Amino acid sequence: DTAVSQTPKYLVTQMGNDKSIKCEQNLGHDTMYWYKQDSKKFLKIMFSYNNKELIINETVPNRFSPKSPDKAHLNLHINSLELGDSAVYFCASSPWDRIYEQYFGPGTRLTVT
Amino acid sequence: SQELEQSPQSLIVQEGKNLTINCTSSKTLYGLYWYKQKYGEGLIFLMMLQKGGEEKSHEKITAKLDEKKQQSSLHITASQPSHAGIYLCGADMARETSGSRLTFGEGTQLTVNP
C-alpha cells in the first residue's frame, strides 16, 4: 500500500546507455513531479505533470523525457546517459491546489560509469 | 545564485542543544514550507507558513516566517539524535507563465551527537 513507488531503487549503467525510471502513485493526486538531487544534496525540480499534461519543464537536457500514460504514472526516460547524470532521482505527487503537500517516492540512485 | 539561500549548510550539535536553521529569499514568498529528509529517503513535510509573522510548532520544532515574508527560521529545542537529517525549506514562487511550483533551498545537514 505504498503511496508513491519508484523502480528501480538502484541503477548502475554505463555512459551512452538509455534507461528508464518508473513512478506510480495511488493517492489519487492530479500532479506528479520529478526531482534530481545531486551530490551536494540540492533538490531541484525537473518536470511537473498535471493530469498527464506537462506544466513545468525546467532547464533539463533533451535527453530527459518524461512520459505520463495516465495520471497515476510518470516515468522518466534518459537517453545517452552521461557521468553528470549520476544523482538520486525522486518522484513525488500532490493535489493540484496544495503543491506543498508532496508525497515523495523512495528515490532512485542512478550511477553512470 | 539560488532563489532560496539556506544556512548553515551543515550543523553538528551535541544532544540536548538548541539550534536554528535559516532560509532567505530575495523575493516575497507566497508560502514557505519546511521538510526533513533522512539519508536515502524522500522528503517528509514538516510545516507550512503563509502569513507574515506566522509561527508554528510541532513537538520540539518551531518555524517562523518574518513579517516581510522573505525569511524563515527553523528552531529545534533540546535536539535529539532522531532530529538528524537534511532539512530543506521550500517556497511557493508562483510564476505567471508556468504556475505555482516549489523551489527548494540547498538543504542543511544536521548531525546530533549523543
Side-chain angles (χ1 to χ4, degrees):
Chain A
D1 57 345
T2 305
V4 182
S5 59
Q6 283 178 241
T7 54
K9 189 160 185 181
Y10 299 96
L11 186 54
V12 181
T13 188
Q14 292 184 327
M15 284 175 58
N17 285 348
D18 303 338
K19 290 292 178 185
S20 292
I21 306 172
K22 295 185 177 181
C23 178
E24 177 180 2
Q25 55 98 2
N26 61 8
L27 298 166
H29 288 160
D30 300 312
T31 308
M32 295 185 73
Y33 313 80
W34 274 110
Y35 290 91
K36 179 181 179 181
Q37 188 174 43
D38 60 24
S39 57
K40 295 183 179 179
K41 308 299 183 190
F42 181 55
L43 192 69
K44 189 167 183 179
I45 191 167
M46 300 173 69
F47 302 101
S48 172
Y49 268 71
N50 184 56
N51 276 325
K52 304 194 311 177
E53 287 189 23
L54 179 67
I55 57 171
I56 294 174
N57 182 357
E58 286 296 303
T59 307
V60 176
N62 291 335
R63 299 181 294 103
F64 291 80
S65 55
K67 284 187 171 53
S68 182
D70 55 62
K71 77 172 195 176
H73 295 84
L74 181 61
N75 303 322
L76 184 65
H77 188 75
I78 316 171
N79 288 327
S80 304
L81 279 156
E82 300 177 358
L83 292 176
D85 296 334
S86 295
V88 181
Y89 292 84
F90 286 99
C91 175
S93 72
S94 77
W96 165 243
D97 57 346
R98 300 195 301 277
I99 63 169
Y100 57 88
E101 199 176 303
Q102 293 191 22
Y103 290 80
F104 281 74
T108 295
R109 182 172 293 276
L110 171 65
T111 303
V112 182
T113 62
Chain B
S1 64
Q2 305 302 340
E3 292 183 287
L4 281 182
E5 298 280 345
Q6 246 183 274
S7 63
Q9 286 190 340
S10 65
L11 194 52
I12 302 174
V13 300
Q14 206 64 30
E15 183 176 359
K17 295 294 185 185
N18 302 336
L19 63 104
T20 300
I21 299 169
N22 294 303
C23 180
T24 304
S25 170
S26 57
K27 303 174 184 176
T28 300
L29 303 171
Y30 290 85
L32 191 288
Y33 316 103
W34 284 99
Y35 298 83
K36 180 185 176 183
Q37 182 184 22
K38 290 186 178 180
Y39 180 75
E41 298 180 14
L43 275 62
I44 299 170
F45 173 70
L46 295 176
M47 275 177 277
M48 170 181 71
L49 303 165
Q50 291 186 306
K51 300 176 183 176
E54 188 174 6
E55 178 176 323
K56 286 188 177 178
S57 292
H58 176 67
E59 297 180 346
K60 294 185 178 180
I61 301 176
T62 300
K64 300 178 185 179
L65 182 62
D66 73 342
E67 290 290 343
K68 288 185 178 179
K69 295 171 66 174
Q70 288 185 291
Q71 185 170 7
S72 178
S73 60
L74 185 83
H75 185 77
I76 299 178
T77 305
S79 58
Q80 299 169 357
S82 61
H83 287 127
I86 299 171
Y87 289 82
L88 293 99
C89 61
D92 183 356
M93 294 181 154
R95 299 163 198 236
E96 291 179 2
T97 55
S98 54
S100 292
R101 71 179 70 193
L102 279 187
T103 298
F104 288 92
E106 59 266 42
T108 296
Q109 174 86 55
L110 173 63
T111 303
V112 181
N113 291 326

